[in-house]
Amino acid sequence: MTPTLSSAFGGPTSTTVNGLLAERNAGIRSSIISTISDGDEANVTPAVSRLSSAGIDVKMFPRIRFLAKAEAWGFSTRMIFWMIRNLKNFDIVHLQYVWCMSSICGTLVARIYGLSVVITPHESLTNYDIDVASNSVPKRRLKMALKWFYLRTADRLVFMSDLEHRDTESASTPFELISHAVQESVIPSALPSEHQVDGPFRIAFLGRNIPKKGIDLIIKALGRNQDRPWKLFVAGPPGTLEFAAEIQELAESLGVSDAVSWVGFLSNRQELFDNCDVLAMPSAYEGFGMVAAEAMCRGVPVIVPRLSGVAEIVSEYEAGIVMSESSVECLEAALLTMDDNPRMRREFGENGLLAANSRLTYEAYASSTSALYATLISGSSSRM
């Protein structure tokens, strides 16, 4: 279950879809239950099409519209009635994300029927999400109460990284560390000879245009290095209109507007990765960092913060630069290093391919998930 399949929701949507496709390739029969809001059909259709064409049963339920808060939490009366009638026919309920009606009700109904519950929280149970991302005391208290509930009812938590596990402080709740499914098949372990081209140093940013993602740090780094012909390509969902306007005004005030291309949302990111020298992900915090993982699968070197789950893989395989903190100074130093060392960039890129083939394939994800499901179905880990 997941609150949405909308591409505007960012990483959790793509990782959920990839995970289901990986499980399907491994012979696991799954259904996906989600909700949809009026006007979001265009953002949902690509994911539904991918899943349906793979033979995965997709059930979509409309959200209620008369209460804004209820709609934001994915409240759907039709989904609740469907759960009560049909959830007993499944062996395992796997919940994606936690601050939503589908996970709260899904957990309760699964427990009534004695089903195993697996939760992939997508960073939402971390101290960062609860203490930093929450914008009010009531919201923080609600999240703390729900966290207590989930930690005492889940059979397994599935974390994307050791960072997410540590920052969740999940006590005695059993857990698994499983990296996301990023690429369907094994890719060449070496870059083609023509991969590196002459010309301006090209930086890619891929992600929602929101403050947490740190796009402003890249703009400021461009402003501090106008003697270098750097080009920045910004791709991803627009985020809030206010913040998007603020970032464009920042680029204008620093005199780097001509160096920035606003690409927008991309359903196919191959062209972006083929035409960049480095992907910068200067987020304040990322439980994983799907965009950096995708870049590594294309042989693109990455710049990531220490407070990101993917930094563990980047460091292990030497696939890029891990910043000690998300600051303009650290990002600028990393960009200068990348710009001045094309041979290093190539080595980082090829190391990223090795990491992708080892850790980020559908097969690797499905193998770990299949083992988890088998253990739960055998009954050896039930908390009932």
Side-chain angles (χ1 to χ4, degrees):
M1 293 183 185
T2 183
T4 181
L5 288 172
S6 172
S7 56
F9 194 62
T13 298
S14 60
T15 56
T16 297
V17 172
N18 288 356
L20 284 165
L21 294 174
E23 292 175 12
R24 180 66 176 178
N25 290 348
I28 299 173
R29 295 178 58 191
S30 302
S31 296
I32 178 71
I33 297 94
S34 187
T35 63
I36 186 171
S37 299
D38 284 348
D40 204 28
E41 291 80 3
N43 291 325
V44 170
T45 298
V48 172
S49 298
R50 288 183 66 197
L51 295 169
S52 298
S53 63
I56 297 171
D57 182 32
V58 181
K59 299 188 182 302
M60 303 292 295
F61 299 92
R63 301 185 181 194
I64 64 171
R65 293 171 291 177
F66 52 85
L67 291 174
K69 290 291 185 181
E71 183 178 8
W73 276 63
F75 195 92
S76 170
T77 52
R78 289 178 58 183
M79 173 185 270
I80 294 174
F81 286 125
W82 185 93
M83 289 182 190
I84 294 172
R85 291 194 304 267
N86 298 283
L87 217 55
K88 60 188 175 185
N89 299 319
F90 294 84
D91 297 306
I92 294 173
V93 175
H94 192 155
L95 306 168
Q96 304 282 338
Y97 196 63
V98 295
W99 312 136
C100 54
M101 183 279 298
S102 57
S103 290
I104 298 170
C105 295
T107 300
L108 291 171
V109 176
R111 279 306 175 211
I112 291 172
Y113 290 132
L115 306 177
S116 295
V117 175
V118 177
I119 299 178
T120 299
H122 295 281
E123 188 186 305
S124 53
L125 292 177
T126 62
N127 294 330
Y128 176 86
D129 186 279
I130 294 174
D131 295 334
V132 179
S134 299
N135 53 16
S136 68
V137 173
K139 188 173 183 179
R140 181 179 181 277
R141 288 176 177 171
L142 174 60
K143 286 185 175 182
M144 289 295 294
L146 286 174
K147 179 176 180 177
W148 181 92
F149 164 72
Y150 286 125
L151 294 185
R152 283 154 182 78
T153 53
D155 288 292
R156 281 292 195 284
L157 296 173
V158 175
F159 295 120
M160 305 173 280
S161 64
D162 188 56
L163 171 70
E164 185 190 15
H165 169 235
R166 294 196 311 270
D167 287 359
T168 297
E169 297 181 356
S170 53
S172 60
T173 308
F175 71 93
E176 302 286 338
L177 292 176
I178 303 177
S179 296
H180 284 315
V182 182
Q183 58 169 6
E184 185 167 5
S185 57
V186 175
I187 54 181
S189 58
L191 295 171
S193 58
E194 66 274 13
H195 182 78
Q196 180 62 47
V197 299
D198 295 329
F201 181 58
R202 303 159 301 171
I203 307 161
F205 170 87
L206 178 58
R208 284 181 294 163
N209 205 340
I210 57 177
K212 171 195 170 185
K213 299 296 183 179
I215 178 62
D216 59 311
L217 301 181
I218 310 179
I219 300 292
K220 291 174 182 177
L222 261 65
R224 293 167 64 149
N225 292 273
Q226 295 188 48
D227 57 320
R228 296 189 177 227
W230 291 355
K231 297 293 183 181
L232 171 62
F233 299 90
V234 179
T240 64
L241 294 177
E242 294 82 4
F243 185 71
E246 180 181 325
I247 290 300
Q248 293 187 23
E249 289 175 5
L250 176 64
E252 292 175 2
S253 67
L254 295 177
V256 296
S257 294
D258 292 342
V260 183
S261 296
W262 308 95
V263 180
F265 176 76
L266 298 175
S267 57
N268 186 343
R269 299 161 177 175
Q270 186 63 52
E271 184 176 355
L272 175 70
F273 290 128
D274 285 345
N275 291 283
C276 71
D277 298 301
V278 63
L279 178 122
M281 189 188 76
S283 302
Y285 187 97
E286 294 285 350
F288 186 66
M290 187 66 170
V291 296
E294 290 182 358
M296 291 161 61
C297 290
R298 272 76 170 189
V300 176
V302 298
I303 299 172
V304 301
R306 177 180 59 84
L307 291 180
S308 64
V310 75
E312 301 160 14
I313 301 177
V314 174
S315 294
E316 178 182 350
Y317 287 87
E318 297 184 353
I321 295 176
V322 177
M323 299 182 294
S324 59
E325 62 179 10
S326 294
S327 66
V328 177
E329 292 76 17
C330 287
L331 178 60
E332 178 185 22
L335 289 170
L336 289 169
T337 298
M338 289 284 197
D339 186 17
D340 291 338
N341 295 276
R343 180 175 295 181
M344 176 189 291
R345 294 203 304 268
R346 184 179 181 86
E347 291 175 356
F348 283 158
E350 294 192 341
N351 290 343
L353 295 177
L354 293 174
N357 285 328
S358 175
R359 301 278 294 277
L360 303 174
T361 62
Y362 280 23
E363 182 180 359
Y365 175 88
S367 176
S368 298
T369 305
S370 297
L372 167 60
Y373 290 165
T375 299
L376 294 174
I377 291 174
S378 73
S380 62
S381 295
S382 177
R383 302 181 70 180
M384 293 297 292

